[in-house]
Amino acid sequence: MPTPSTATAAGRLPDPDSLRAPSAPVPARPVRTAVIGTGGIARNCHLPALTLLAAEGGEEVVAAVDIEPAAVEAFCAEGRFPYAYTDMGRMLREQGPDLVTICTPPTLHREQTVTALRAGAWVWCEKPPVPTLADFDAVEAAEGTAGGPYASIVFQHRFGSGAAHVRRLLAERALGRPLVAHCQTTWYRDAAYYAVPWRGRWHTEGGGPAMGHGIHQMDLLLDLLGPWSEVRAMAGRLVHDVETEGVSTALVRFDNGAMATVVSSVLSPDEVSRVRVDCERATVELTHLYGHANADWRITPAPDVPAEQAGEWRDFGVGERSGGDRAPSAKGASSDRTARVPA
């Protein structure tokens, strides 16, 4: 078991933009970070990002937590992190991290986020935020009122140079009014995927592909088009013997008048993630799977748009990926995001 840290007490987390921007100054001292849950999403996505931030001098992982001693010890050994815990409360008391990144199943997000916030740590939590609106209200109530600490959710698909470029074009109405949109997350998960005990259950997962898979593309669509005003939807269990749905479809009307279809599935062998927006002067389409780059975006101008204007729209600038890619071996059943449940 770990011994108490001699590091300073928890400080305040710098502006997130200062950590994201490549040319931003390094914080006065590294952001002391703790990882909660050391399963697939922590190892495959968070660990590489944390390692990169540490190399740049802006972050330092001081501890990890998992209920399985062997799992957390292996995680810490791989990342060369000093302290492995099986008790989140003890870790918070002894290490006083600035930031806690939560990589556990949805049913634990509320309790762990609130616990971290009350200990003075900022929170970076895997999606979905929490299973219910009441849980979300509890998290919001635990946040600070003047300068934090606050909780934030991992929605990496709204980032990257491509999303920023298209967001700017839409905000400036360079492409005209957005009129019609399509949001598609059609992935494939087999029976082995749902053999993980907490998956496919309302109490522990909070929902099916709309909550756990399509949420990324829906977040990107909202980020591009703004809030919606009307939703009509249906869902069904067509294959897997689970409590939650395996597919959902929705018709959405946005405040700006645009209308969209939204499809989320885990029953689709030909996997794809797609967002398309038809505007008055051009169609914008993103096609990818688990993460996108500039080359994954396509802008098709209307026939009367000058070639010079279309060329400016298609100039995405220096490429920066959205993040979130997973190795091919992680596809399907083995991509289970099985973050182990810490105490």
Side-chain angles (χ1 to χ4, degrees):
M1 295 299 294
T3 56
S5 171
T6 56
T8 58
R12 298 278 69 85
L13 188 67
D15 182 342
D17 287 338
S18 72
L19 300 178
R20 183 169 62 247
S23 59
V26 175
R29 66 171 179 80
V31 177
R32 302 180 68 256
T33 304
V35 180
I36 313 300
T38 61
I41 197 67
R43 292 193 312 271
N44 298 331
C45 296
H46 289 254
L47 180 57
L50 292 169
T51 301
L52 177 61
L53 287 171
E56 294 173 348
E59 180 273 344
E60 173 191 11
V61 176
V62 296
V65 183
D66 197 292
I67 60 169
E68 294 190 17
V72 69
E73 288 167 7
F75 183 82
C76 288
E78 181 179 354
R80 298 183 179 180
F81 306 141
Y83 295 114
Y85 284 83
T86 56
D87 185 298
M88 180 179 174
R90 181 181 176 188
M91 182 278 296
L92 290 169
R93 292 190 301 271
E94 295 181 352
Q95 302 301 329
D98 304 318
L99 172 67
V100 167
T101 177
I102 296 177
C103 307
T104 57
T107 189
L108 299 171
H109 289 179
R110 169 182 173 169
E111 178 183 355
Q112 292 171 345
T113 298
V114 169
T115 298
L117 289 169
R118 288 176 176 171
W122 291 60
V123 174
W124 183 236
C125 183
E126 264 298 328
K127 58 80 190 167
V130 284
T132 71
L133 291 176
D135 290 336
F136 190 87
D137 290 342
V139 169
E140 189 174 40
E143 293 180 316
T145 56
Y150 299 118
S152 188
I153 309 302
V154 178
F155 283 128
Q156 73 271 20
H157 287 194
R158 68 165 62 183
F159 295 98
S161 52
H165 178 67
V166 171
R167 185 185 306 111
R168 184 166 53 252
L169 291 176
L170 292 174
E172 295 173 354
R173 292 294 175 95
L175 310 180
R177 290 184 300 124
L179 304 173
V180 182
H182 177 63
C183 177
Q184 176 184 354
T185 306
T186 44
W187 294 356
Y188 185 78
R189 299 293 183 264
D190 61 14
Y193 178 85
Y194 285 103
V196 176
W198 60 268
R199 290 211 182 97
R201 300 177 184 273
W202 289 112
H203 174 66
T204 51
E205 190 167 20
M211 173 75 86
H213 302 82
I215 192 170
H216 280 302
Q217 290 350 283
M218 285 187 275
D219 175 72
L220 176 57
L221 186 71
L222 284 167
D223 193 52
L224 295 176
L225 293 185
W228 53 40
S229 58
E230 182 181 358
V231 179
R232 303 180 183 185
M234 59 182 177
R237 293 188 298 270
L238 304 182
V239 174
H240 301 297
D241 184 17
V242 294
E243 295 176 1
T244 57
E245 83 280 6
V247 60
S248 66
T249 63
L251 302 175
V252 182
R253 190 190 306 274
F254 285 84
D255 282 352
N256 60 20
M259 300 175 66
T261 61
V262 180
V263 179
S264 299
S265 166
V266 288
L267 311 177
S268 309
D270 184 11
E271 296 187 294
V272 68
S273 304
R274 180 178 291 121
V275 171
R276 170 177 169 142
V277 181
D278 297 323
C279 300
E280 292 175 303
R281 304 184 67 200
T283 291
V284 180
E285 186 169 16
L286 167 67
T287 303
H288 67 113
L289 188 53
Y290 298 134
H292 54 81
N294 284 357
D296 297 315
W297 293 84
R298 183 177 66 179
I299 297 181
T300 304
D304 61 343
V305 172
E308 182 179 357
Q309 180 70 78
E312 292 179 1
W313 293 344
R314 290 167 171 159
D315 182 6
F316 283 74
V318 177
E320 180 181 352
R321 296 194 64 83
S322 65
D325 286 317
R326 285 183 279 168
S329 62
K331 185 177 178 180
S334 60
S335 68
D336 59 316
R337 298 173 178 260
T338 51
R340 306 178 194 276
V341 184

